[in-house]
Amino acid sequence: MLQRLLIDRIENRILVGITMFVGIMILIGWVAINEGERMRSFTNQFEARSIEFGAELFAANCTTCHGVDGRGIGNFGPALNSPYLFGHNYFASINNQITAINAREAQLIAERDALMQEFVNANDARREQIRARRDEIEAILTGEDGLAAERAAVFAERDNLLNSLQPAIDLGYPQPTVNEDGTVTSVYSRLAFLEWNGSLESFIYTTLVHGRPTSKTYWENAQMVSWSQQTGAPLRDDQLRNLTAYIMNWDKGNAWTIEDALAVRQYPLVPVAGGGEMVASAPPVGTDVDAIVAQLDTVVGDPVRGEQIYNNQQRSQLGARLGCGGCHLNGVAGPAHNAKWDHFFNERSQLPQFAGYTVQKYLVESIVNTGAYIVPGYAAGQMPGDFANRMSLQDMADILAYLHTFSTVDPYVPPTPAEPSAEATPEA
Amino acid sequence: MSILPFPSFLDDIKEKGFKRAVFEGVDDIVKSITAGMNIQDIREALRGEAPSRRPNPRLQPHSDGFWLHMRPSFFHKDMTGVYPTFRLGWLSTYFVFFETITGMFLMVWYTPSPQIAYGNMVAILSNVPLGQLMRDLHRLGAEAMVLIVTLHMIRTFMTGSYKKPRQFTWFSGVILLFATFFLSFSGYLLPWDQLALWAVTIGASMVEASPPPIVGETLNLLLRGGPDIGANGLLRFYLLHVLAVPAILFIFTGVHYYKVIIHGHSLPPQKENIGEDTAKRVPLDKRVYFIPDVLTSEIMWIGVTSFILVVLCVWFYHAPLEAHADPQVTPLGTTAPWYFLWIQGALKLGDKVLWGIIFPTVVLLIFFAWPYLDNTPSRRYADRRFALIVCFAFMSSFTVLSYMGTAEYGVNTTADQEIFYYMAHEPAHNRMGIILPVPFEQLPAGFYTTREFTAEEGMKESAIAALNEALYGTELGKQLAEKLKTEAHNPAFNLDATNIRVRPVPQAEAPRLAYVMELFEKQVAKEDKELYNGWGAVLITDNQDNLKRIDIILVWEAIELENGQPVLDENGNVKPILKDDGTPVYNIAIDHVFIHRDAAYFMNY
């Protein structure tokens, strides 16, 4: 029986074999010509799946600070579902209209002026023509349906837009400015503000990988931490890509509305107040510790400004960002700042090399001459040595005043080695 | 007289004329390539004519050529039919080459690193022309190869072809069988998706059971390259897959073939006298020469097989690619590859060492030793009742064990997890949760319940109203809202503060959703013991413009459980757990998925 199943005649074997191979080639060819469409469809589908995975990760990890709808939570995290992040310019079309009106006006005025020049030497017939054209131009410039009216309408629309955007501006959307020519300049894009040269996607991805190392200093309640496994955090690279895809999926392109800007609950906070003050307004403090300590008596330190300088929210009087808080937080990268004062008073002053030091002198020395003493447990050479040239006497006084707010002892009394802080008098 | 200082082709032309010289030149080249057959010989062979010159040129490729020296120059006539070989040996060999070629194609786009392996898979599918087809062919070819090699072994056993003098042929065949298994298994990990990671984790953890513990741990460490499968493990599996195991396979394929040449193909059992082996003494009238008959037949068979594979891969089969491997998330229903399911099934019988290591090792040893143990001379079926019983017993116990290895058998999963899996599991093993393929447009935001489908026609509205009554402003409602907020991270939904109410599924607008809700209801009703007075709900919310969030909610009254099974009283009823004031304690479970407009789940599965 089974013997019969064999294709007995050689011609038939060859025929079947050839048919099969031709069939395979036709099929592969058929698949090949449809590959473009198939690959596109797979890509679409894969991106959609990626967004789904990203949504899952966002719901589990990000909503506590950025909100379920991605519109931010006050003092916790900025909106991601925001026209500002995606760089939508609400004034783009109005600016175009105004620029067009201005250009048309300039062109007409130039034409009129040229005609007037010509008028002087023209014959009567030509003068008649010129008069007619001039009236026409005047009508276009100032008539009822003319450019002036058109401009007024556009300006009204612009002011309307500015007004309706006002609640968002109050919340932190960058303040647009109206230029002399009537156009509006605004830093409508987060990336432009940060002078980020890459794509938005790379910005989001990079933020996810590295977090914002000093964001705790200007966000009261939360810090953007790193999420990447590269840095010991929980998410794999593909998960970060999925999250990025999900966040990018909020993009509405040109369809962002004013409502979107108004729906945002929290715009990004700006870490440094007074950006652009790069001019030095006081001489540097120098490296002479004793001289600085002596001069400190002549100035009054402001702890509030001291905190701002410390935490990078304000520049020093020499226009530098000192960023002390970047390292001196919780004793991770540098010794902690909050217990410093008492710590010196109680323990460090017991060391023989600090005999006769006040806390103030110790701190001044630590800042302007960073290598003088290395706190055990921290590596030498980590703290930059140029603070003497980046801050003024007033800055120094302010920072010391800020540090002293954590303290219970008097800054100006050298500690008595035998009786530490228990006897110390709190500052008034 | 030569025009050049040495004899040349030009001399030939001068001597014989252009046409004849060219023909003879080509004829010589053909003869070198075929190691003995010129154009005329090939033509005669393909026409099925007898060779016109002596000695028979069709024997020369066997003696002078590399490839055919490992094939016999003639077969016994009784060996050329479908029976007794079913061509399984030849097809096994063909798949070695088929897999090598498609595998090399895939290697070009693959890097064995957890960081990019999955991305490579996506690139093969999204950016490499014919990439998907090649991957499908490679994967389906691998499954087919396992199947065909296994069938080849069963056939060899049935016809008693392992008997003297072919014991070692069988022995080398068992090596090839296990090399095939391991080749297929080591390929599983390479895509670095969930299927890969967990199938291999299960497989590799069997190795860990090898006694004594120090051996098991060391073997496991060597195989995985660390306590868990990571970068090292992937690289090791890759090298096993592309170098080590293929090397073993190629070497033993050579050994296996050589033994076939030495001993010839064993004839159908009834064609020989008992105890005789006449494979090498084929009478002249019974000879079928390899060229052309067997050769054309074999080429036809690979044509047919390849064509079937291509047809399957174009229309019916796509190699699975699940979500990226995640060691933190164990998918429900994880199993070993199907050809190792019998070990997984055996593991459910008890001790890991006994069933996971000793049992498979004993099976392996029996396979190897069988031809040396069974030294009865007769190959006739009637004389081999015991051996055939053993064979069928093996086959049926392997089938049963394989069934026991599946996730359906003997794995206790709670009713809520079963239902969530049924409703919303990720596409895996070519199946997925029933809600995923619902068209995006048929997922209108809202809160829908199975109670609507439990109720009789005409009572639906009141059933929904009753549920709304039971939820809003009540303890149960607060419990549900809290659970949604803290566990499912869906604080947007708040039963106390919003006006979202359970509403009927809009049948006209979303017939598919209605159908899914009906199936959902049936599933909940099926588990009415464990999910006492239970009901399900689907909460659909808009997440982004093209993205919906779907929360699947199960609410039931707590009952007494023992080992996950309900405790029944003498009437067969469950025992509810009540609060002090007599009200029921509610259990709530929530699972959720996101569905994107373009995810197109219905397309690929």
Side-chain angles (χ1 to χ4, degrees):
Chain A
M1 248 296 279
L2 282 168
Q3 288 288 357
R4 297 229 185 109
L5 278 173
L6 176 72
I7 297 170
D8 224 10
R9 290 163 61 86
I10 191 163
E11 306 92 83
N12 292 347
R13 284 201 294 269
I14 290 170
L15 185 69
V16 171
I18 287 175
T19 315
M20 290 298 139
F21 282 110
V22 170
I24 290 169
M25 280 186 273
I26 290 173
L27 276 179
I28 290 180
W30 184 75
V31 170
I33 54 174
N34 289 311
E35 277 297 82
E37 192 42 50
R38 183 196 64 74
M39 291 191 292
R40 250 193 306 286
S41 131
F42 178 87
T43 305
N44 275 345
Q45 202 189 348
F46 182 78
E47 278 168 7
R49 298 291 305 278
S50 173
I51 290 168
E52 289 174 1
F53 288 126
E56 183 63 58
L57 292 166
F58 192 88
N61 298 305
C62 315
T63 44
T64 14
C65 290
H66 292 285
V68 180
D69 52 5
R71 292 199 154 115
I73 293 180
N75 289 330
F76 272 92
L80 305 171
N81 177 11
S82 152
Y84 179 49
L85 180 65
F86 287 93
H88 178 69
N89 185 1
Y90 286 108
F91 298 96
S93 123
I94 281 181
N95 280 348
N96 283 345
Q97 289 176 49
I98 294 174
T99 314
I101 291 170
N102 289 347
R104 177 108 175 92
E105 187 188 58
Q107 188 200 351
L108 289 169
I109 289 173
E111 188 189 343
R112 189 189 60 190
D113 292 352
L115 288 173
M116 288 299 104
Q117 292 276 323
E118 196 191 336
F119 188 81
V120 182
N121 301 321
N123 59 25
D124 284 354
R126 178 63 188 146
R127 283 189 173 186
E128 204 48 48
Q129 278 176 348
I130 289 173
R131 272 201 204 94
R133 178 62 188 151
R134 186 201 60 195
D135 292 346
E136 239 176 76
I137 290 173
E138 287 298 332
I140 295 174
L141 285 177
T142 58
E144 235 170 71
D145 304 327
L147 283 180
E150 213 175 293
R151 173 184 282 140
V154 176
F155 277 14
E157 199 186 321
R158 177 199 68 192
D159 294 341
N160 202 4
L161 200 56
L162 279 168
N163 280 337
S164 52
L165 209 52
Q166 193 55 45
I169 294 167
D170 294 342
L171 256 178
Y173 187 87
Q175 175 76 53
T177 50
V178 178
N179 301 320
E180 263 178 37
D181 64 354
T183 55
V184 179
T185 304
S186 77
V187 186
Y188 52 83
S189 154
R190 175 82 174 137
L191 296 195
F193 176 80
L194 293 172
E195 292 172 21
W196 178 267
N197 290 322
S199 66
L200 179 58
E201 207 168 341
S202 79
F203 174 71
I204 294 170
Y205 174 75
T206 308
T207 309
L208 285 167
V209 171
H210 301 288
R212 289 258 182 275
T214 59
S215 59
K216 183 122 190 169
T217 61
Y218 51 97
W219 285 93
E220 279 173 35
N221 298 317
Q223 178 181 7
M224 177 67 186
V225 296
S226 158
W227 289 96
S228 166
Q229 277 188 352
Q230 293 171 33
T231 57
L235 300 186
R236 295 186 313 268
D237 192 59
D238 61 294
Q239 292 176 312
L240 297 178
R241 297 279 173 203
N242 292 341
L243 254 179
T244 309
Y246 175 71
I247 294 168
M248 290 299 291
N249 194 38
W250 265 310
D251 194 3
K252 293 187 179 169
N254 286 326
W256 289 97
T257 61
I258 292 286
E259 285 69 38
D260 290 319
L262 300 184
V264 166
R265 285 185 295 269
Q266 173 72 58
Y267 281 96
L269 296 182
V270 179
V272 179
E277 293 170 22
M278 289 301 289
V279 188
S281 58
V285 66
T287 54
D288 185 342
V289 177
D290 287 325
I292 297 169
V293 173
Q295 287 172 39
L296 277 173
D297 290 341
T298 64
V299 292
V300 180
D302 173 3
V304 175
R305 181 165 180 274
E307 182 178 1
Q308 288 173 343
I309 299 174
Y310 194 90
N311 287 336
N312 237 1
Q313 289 162 325
Q314 211 182 100
R315 291 172 194 262
S316 74
Q317 283 186 329
L318 277 92
R321 301 176 195 212
L322 302 182
C324 319
C327 295
H328 295 280
L329 266 177
N330 308 325
V332 178
H337 66 303
N338 43 9
K340 183 121 282 259
W341 209 282
D342 291 0
H343 187 69
F344 177 82
F345 204 87
N346 296 337
E347 289 175 29
R348 194 76 72 226
S349 62
Q350 307 290 335
L351 297 174
Q353 75 246 50
F354 295 127
Y357 270 55
T358 58
V359 186
Q360 210 179 21
K361 181 173 174 184
Y362 171 73
L363 288 175
V364 170
E365 185 180 77
S366 303
I367 295 170
V368 300
N369 185 4
T370 50
Y373 173 72
I374 304 296
V375 175
Y378 296 97
Q382 291 214 321
M383 180 161 161
D386 59 349
F387 285 108
N389 295 323
R390 290 162 64 194
M391 62 200 297
S392 70
L393 188 67
Q394 183 64 50
D395 297 326
M396 179 68 86
D398 292 345
I399 288 175
L400 292 181
Y402 166 59
L403 292 180
H404 189 248
T405 56
F406 298 101
S407 167
T408 53
V409 298
D410 192 315
Y412 303 108
V413 181
T416 37
E419 293 180 65
S421 66
E423 293 289 304
T425 41
E427 201 189 15
Chain B
M1 192 64 204
S2 175
I3 55 169
L4 289 172
F6 48 84
S8 77
F9 183 55
L10 291 175
D11 296 331
D12 281 359
I13 294 177
K14 236 169 119 184
E15 201 178 305
K16 302 167 186 165
F18 181 75
K19 227 168 130 182
R20 182 149 189 83
V22 168
F23 174 78
E24 281 183 6
V26 173
D27 204 42
D28 273 351
I29 292 169
V30 170
K31 203 167 167 183
S32 324
I33 291 172
T34 59
M37 290 174 72
N38 62 29
I39 294 173
Q40 177 63 20
D41 298 334
I42 293 173
R43 186 199 301 235
E44 285 164 4
L46 290 181
R47 285 182 171 175
E49 292 162 3
S52 61
R53 63 189 178 102
R54 297 280 153 192
N56 186 346
R58 298 177 192 176
L59 297 180
Q60 218 177 340
H62 291 278
S63 52
D64 295 354
F66 172 72
W67 292 107
L68 291 191
H69 91 277
M70 40 186 159
R71 306 306 309 273
S73 52
F74 57 83
F75 282 39
H76 192 290
K77 193 169 186 327
D78 293 332
M79 293 304 300
T80 54
V82 174
Y83 175 85
T85 65
F86 302 96
R87 304 287 162 181
L88 291 166
W90 165 240
L91 289 180
S92 304
T93 313
Y94 171 59
F95 273 112
V96 174
F97 290 96
F98 184 85
E99 290 299 289
T100 308
I101 292 163
T102 50
M104 281 196 285
F105 186 89
L106 295 173
M107 270 171 97
V108 175
W109 282 279
Y110 182 78
T111 310
S113 148
Q115 263 90 41
I116 39 177
Y118 188 77
N120 288 159
M121 287 298 121
V122 173
I124 286 173
L125 295 176
S126 67
N127 214 8
V128 178
L130 296 179
Q132 188 190 39
L133 182 68
M134 281 298 147
R135 196 172 105 82
D136 294 348
L137 285 173
H138 191 70
R139 180 63 182 264
L140 190 64
E143 312 277 10
M145 182 170 163
V146 170
L147 185 72
I148 283 172
V149 172
T150 309
L151 289 175
H152 179 49
M153 194 186 87
I154 293 172
R155 192 285 296 173
T156 311
F157 189 95
M158 294 272 199
T159 57
S161 302
Y162 56 82
K163 296 204 172 191
K164 201 177 169 195
R166 299 187 181 78
Q167 298 100 322
F168 188 73
T169 319
W170 167 274
F171 189 93
S172 61
V174 177
I175 294 176
L176 290 176
L177 175 77
F178 281 86
T180 305
F181 279 179
F182 200 72
L183 202 53
S184 185
F185 177 65
S186 57
Y188 244 73
L189 185 65
L190 306 187
W192 204 245
D193 61 351
Q194 282 287 69
L195 175 68
L197 185 73
W198 290 101
V200 170
T201 300
I202 288 175
S205 68
M206 288 171 195
V207 175
E208 201 179 2
S210 316
I214 181 74
V215 174
E217 280 162 25
T218 310
L219 281 178
N220 185 42
L221 212 57
L222 279 174
L223 190 62
R224 296 196 198 184
D228 293 308
I229 291 177
N232 285 330
L234 180 56
L235 184 58
R236 280 169 203 203
F237 269 79
Y238 176 72
L239 292 175
L240 283 172
H241 187 71
V242 304
L243 279 178
V245 187
I248 293 171
L249 194 79
F250 283 127
I251 289 169
F252 280 94
T253 304
V255 172
H256 199 68
Y257 258 86
Y258 186 68
K259 290 289 158 189
V260 174
I261 294 264
I262 292 288
H263 300 304
H265 296 91
S266 68
L267 294 178
Q270 67 279 15
K271 301 276 179 183
E272 291 180 314
N273 294 328
I274 293 168
E276 255 183 31
D277 184 60
T278 54
K280 293 294 274 184
R281 288 179 273 122
V282 183
L284 277 173
D285 61 331
K286 293 277 188 187
R287 286 184 185 184
V288 174
Y289 284 89
F290 187 83
I291 298 174
D293 288 291
V294 179
L295 184 63
T296 47
S297 164
E298 285 183 345
I299 291 175
M300 182 199 74
W301 277 101
I302 65 177
V304 171
T305 311
S306 307
F307 182 74
I308 293 172
L309 281 179
V310 172
V311 167
L312 287 175
C313 289
V314 170
W315 283 295
F316 303 103
Y317 175 87
H318 291 303
L321 183 67
E322 297 183 5
H324 191 288
D326 189 345
Q328 317 288 329
V329 179
T330 317
L332 204 64
T334 301
T335 55
W338 61 269
Y339 40 84
F340 283 149
L341 273 180
W342 56 278
I343 304 183
Q344 211 178 343
L347 277 168
K348 288 179 188 168
L349 290 172
D351 188 56
K352 203 174 172 187
V353 176
L354 176 63
W355 291 106
I357 295 293
I358 298 177
F359 169 65
T361 311
V362 168
V363 169
L364 182 66
L365 289 178
I366 291 174
F367 280 2
F368 275 125
W370 185 264
Y372 303 101
L373 299 175
D374 173 21
N375 50 15
T376 54
S378 174
R379 291 176 51 228
R380 302 267 166 97
Y381 300 124
D383 300 336
R384 297 181 57 235
R385 294 202 173 103
F386 176 69
L388 292 178
I389 288 168
V390 169
C391 180
F392 282 110
F394 253 98
M395 276 159 56
S396 25
S397 52
F398 271 56
T399 311
V400 171
L401 282 175
S402 294
Y403 166 68
M404 286 169 60
T406 58
E408 282 90 22
Y409 181 85
V411 180
N412 269 331
T413 317
T414 55
D416 54 327
Q417 290 307 311
E418 288 280 357
I419 292 178
F420 289 151
Y421 184 75
Y422 174 75
M423 290 292 290
H425 78 89
E426 289 261 322
H429 311 287
N430 291 334
R431 281 188 297 175
M432 66 179 132
I434 57 168
I435 204 155
L436 295 181
V438 174
F440 190 77
E441 296 71 29
Q442 296 194 28
L443 292 168
F447 193 10
Y448 313 103
T449 176
T450 56
R451 279 277 163 90
E452 178 187 348
F453 298 90
T454 316
E456 299 287 319
E457 201 60 45
M459 297 295 286
K460 292 184 184 303
E461 290 293 328
S462 58
I464 288 170
L467 192 62
N468 275 329
E469 193 76 9
L471 275 180
Y472 292 91
T474 61
E475 274 301 306
L476 176 60
K478 282 197 193 109
Q479 197 187 335
L480 177 57
E482 184 61 24
K483 184 106 176 170
L484 267 170
K485 187 170 156 185
T486 52
E487 277 180 30
H489 306 286
N490 192 2
F493 181 70
N494 184 334
L495 286 156
D496 287 329
T498 66
N499 286 324
I500 303 178
R501 289 280 187 274
V502 181
R503 65 174 173 123
V505 178
Q507 295 275 357
E509 186 191 337
R512 183 77 201 178
L513 178 66
Y515 171 67
V516 165
M517 289 299 294
E518 248 182 278
L519 293 178
F520 185 18
E521 197 279 323
K522 289 208 180 84
Q523 211 66 17
V524 176
K526 220 163 76 183
E527 303 281 1
D528 63 339
K529 285 234 157 39
E530 212 178 318
L531 303 181
Y532 180 61
N533 280 345
W535 54 273
V538 165
L539 171 64
I540 303 176
T541 39
D542 291 316
N543 192 274
Q544 286 178 332
D545 285 347
N546 43 20
L547 191 69
K548 305 245 188 206
R549 182 192 160 111
I550 291 149
D551 286 275
I552 295 155
I553 299 163
L554 282 170
V555 180
W556 70 98
E557 291 172 20
I559 50 164
E560 285 178 36
L561 294 174
E562 209 178 279
N563 298 331
Q565 295 300 317
V567 181
L568 302 177
D569 63 13
E570 57 275 17
N571 298 328
N573 296 324
V574 297
K575 299 177 178 171
I577 301 172
L578 299 175
K579 283 189 211 155
D580 293 341
D581 59 1
T583 53
V585 176
Y586 288 107
N587 283 339
I588 299 176
I590 301 169
D591 191 18
H592 68 275
V593 282
F594 288 88
I595 295 184
H596 191 281
R597 186 193 299 279
D598 299 334
Y601 286 103
F602 56 90
M603 258 174 50
N604 285 17
Y605 294 95

